[in-house]
Amino acid sequence: MAEISLTELAVLVVEPSSTQRRIINRALENNGICSIIEADSGEQALTLLDQEEPDLVISSLYLPDMTGTDLVHRIRESKSHPDTPFMLISSETRFRYLDPIRQAGVVGILPKPFTDAELNTALSTTLDLLDENPMEMGELDADALQVLVVDDSPFARKHIARILGSLGIQRIDQAENGLHALEMLNQNFYDFVVTDYNMPHMDGKELVDHIRQQSTQSSLPVLMVTSEENENRLAAVHESGVSAICDKPFEPSTVRQLIRQMVATTD
């Protein structure tokens, strides 16, 4: 599908409360969404996902038979629709509950209540993911860029690779942690690295430190895409020489801008 518009999006809303479903549906309609499918449980949502093949799933975190985390993981592990964009709407704010959702790759995590602007941003991100025409990278030759994606979550790696693919970047290698990334860096030259912060064996900061202090590619641009909220840790990452930091979830347009800035700086 190419150049899909909001009016063409089919959205599956998974919410046990009929009142909350009406609120979400009204907000979607206000944004031009015409096709809305409803489910009040995770299992019903999975059945409808197979039957209706919606373009986007919007779910609450707490469902009667599973959590939104369980639901997005079931979707990501499925063979028929693993890349379906997923959006969470929840009043939950605790890191330990939201981080697994972020790691699975989502177009947005919206609060209750959410604003029209927050919903529109997440819907726009959905369109970017579904559009088969790569976003323009300006003067950069996306086909020539070679990128290393580092994240211990296979879901997150796949999501980041998909975002990069929407920018026209296809030469993408993947590493599951910092140590694995170092092996890849010793074997290949990359135009930039996209890495998570929290990883086993060697985290994102340690990876950046090694690149800046010991690697033959010491000036290699590094974009850190992370859900880390500790300001002291993020400050230490900045000091280590990371080129840019982007929150999870993120917009493709934001990543595009950061990549252009990073790569242009090294030219």
Side-chain angles (χ1 to χ4, degrees):
M1 108 185 24
E3 295 189 7
I4 188 172
S5 67
L6 285 178
T7 58
E8 298 172 287
L9 276 184
V11 180
L12 171 59
V13 176
V14 191
E15 167 61 62
S17 165
S18 59
T19 300
Q20 289 297 322
R21 284 202 306 274
R22 284 195 297 271
I23 293 172
I24 295 170
N25 292 352
R26 188 178 307 116
L28 289 170
E29 291 166 355
N30 290 340
N31 275 272
I33 304 297
C34 302
S35 178
I36 301 174
I37 309 157
E38 297 184 19
D40 58 15
S41 69
E43 289 297 341
Q44 184 184 16
L46 291 169
T47 298
L48 290 171
L49 195 58
D50 287 328
Q51 295 174 348
E52 305 291 341
E53 298 185 351
D55 302 300
L56 169 67
V57 175
I58 299 178
S59 177
S60 173
L61 181 58
Y62 299 110
L63 305 172
D65 54 348
M66 65 179 72
T67 66
T69 305
D70 297 327
L71 177 59
V72 70
H73 279 212
R74 292 275 295 274
I75 292 172
R76 295 289 176 259
E77 292 166 354
S78 69
K79 295 181 178 179
S80 56
H81 38 64
D83 297 326
T84 303
F86 188 94
M87 183 192 309
L88 181 76
I89 298 179
S90 176
S91 56
E92 182 62 73
T93 59
R94 286 171 290 183
F95 178 84
R96 68 179 182 273
Y97 292 110
L98 296 182
D99 190 55
I101 293 277
R102 294 188 180 102
Q103 300 299 339
V106 295
V107 297
I109 297 180
L110 276 57
K112 287 183 181 180
F114 55 86
T115 66
D116 184 70
E118 290 170 327
L119 177 60
N120 188 263
T121 295
L123 291 174
S124 297
T125 298
T126 302
L127 293 183
D128 287 338
L129 285 177
L130 294 175
D131 192 346
E132 292 182 348
N133 298 317
M135 298 172 66
E136 292 295 329
M137 287 290 287
E139 68 282 0
L140 296 180
D141 183 0
D143 289 336
L145 294 175
Q146 186 160 352
V147 184
L148 176 61
V149 174
V150 190
D151 200 304
D152 59 308
S153 166
F155 297 142
R157 291 198 304 272
K158 187 174 182 179
H159 182 65
I160 294 171
R162 189 180 181 195
I163 295 290
L164 295 174
S166 74
L167 303 177
I169 299 171
Q170 300 299 328
R171 300 172 63 193
I172 303 169
D173 291 336
Q174 300 184 18
E176 60 189 18
N177 56 55
L179 288 178
H180 187 198
L182 292 184
E183 295 177 9
M184 302 292 291
L185 288 166
N186 287 332
Q187 299 169 9
N188 306 276
F189 284 93
Y190 295 99
D191 292 287
F192 64 91
V193 173
V194 181
T195 182
D196 189 22
Y197 179 94
N198 292 299
M199 297 179 291
H201 307 302
M202 175 182 280
D203 64 25
K205 180 186 179 300
E206 292 169 329
L207 174 60
V208 175
D209 285 338
H210 190 281
I211 290 174
R212 295 290 177 255
Q213 299 170 18
Q214 302 180 48
S215 171
T216 57
Q217 304 181 60
S218 60
S219 61
L220 181 65
V222 179
L223 169 61
M224 185 164 290
V225 179
T226 181
S227 56
E228 177 60 56
E229 297 178 338
N230 186 294
E231 293 297 332
N232 291 332
R233 290 180 180 176
L234 291 177
V237 169
H238 275 292
E239 292 174 1
S240 69
V242 70
S243 306
I245 294 180
C246 185
D247 293 331
K248 290 180 181 178
F250 51 85
E251 302 169 50
S253 58
T254 299
V255 173
R256 176 186 60 178
Q257 180 181 358
L258 291 174
I259 291 172
R260 290 178 62 184
Q261 292 173 350
M262 290 191 309
V263 176
T265 300
T266 61
D267 288 346

